[in-house]
Amino acid sequence: MKERKEQCAALLQNLEDAGCSDETIKTYMACSGEKETAQQLQILCRYRCQLLEQVHAEQKKLDCLDYLIYDLKKQKKEKEHDL
């Protein structure tokens, strides 16, 4: 019984660490039977896709900043060369 509680606590902590919302955690934890493993997998995959979309959006922002930094450095170098 104690081992089951520890497993449940570890699972809950993992879901929280992954950034799952309270609603997602509640839905996931409600799926506790063997027959609901597919639903749990669906919940996790859906959330993973959301996170990946966020990563891609942030990467696009980084790419824009990198371009601006590159362009400014290039302009600075050109000005120094003209002197």
Side-chain angles (χ1 to χ4, degrees), residues 7-34:
Q7 286 176 340
C8 204
L11 174 60
L12 179 61
Q13 185 64 53
N14 197 312
L15 292 169
E16 289 173 353
D17 291 347
C20 293
S21 67
D22 290 342
E23 186 63 32
T24 299
I25 292 171
K26 182 180 174 182
T27 304
Y28 182 91
M29 298 300 274
C31 302
S32 59
E34 290 247 352

Side-chain angles (χ1 to χ4, degrees), residues 44-59:
L44 295 178
C45 288
R46 187 178 320 121
Y47 181 61
R48 185 184 186 285
C49 286
Q50 291 171 355
L51 286 179
L52 191 56
E53 286 176 8
Q54 291 174 7
V55 167
H56 289 157
E58 296 302 315
Q59 181 63 52

Side-chain angles (χ1 to χ4, degrees), residues 62-80:
L62 284 171
D63 291 343
C64 290
L65 286 174
D66 286 345
Y67 174 76
L68 291 172
I69 291 167
Y70 164 81
D71 194 48
L72 283 173
K73 286 181 178 180
K74 182 180 169 188
Q75 289 177 22
K76 182 181 176 190
K77 197 174 194 179
E78 288 173 355
K79 286 181 184 178
E80 290 173 354

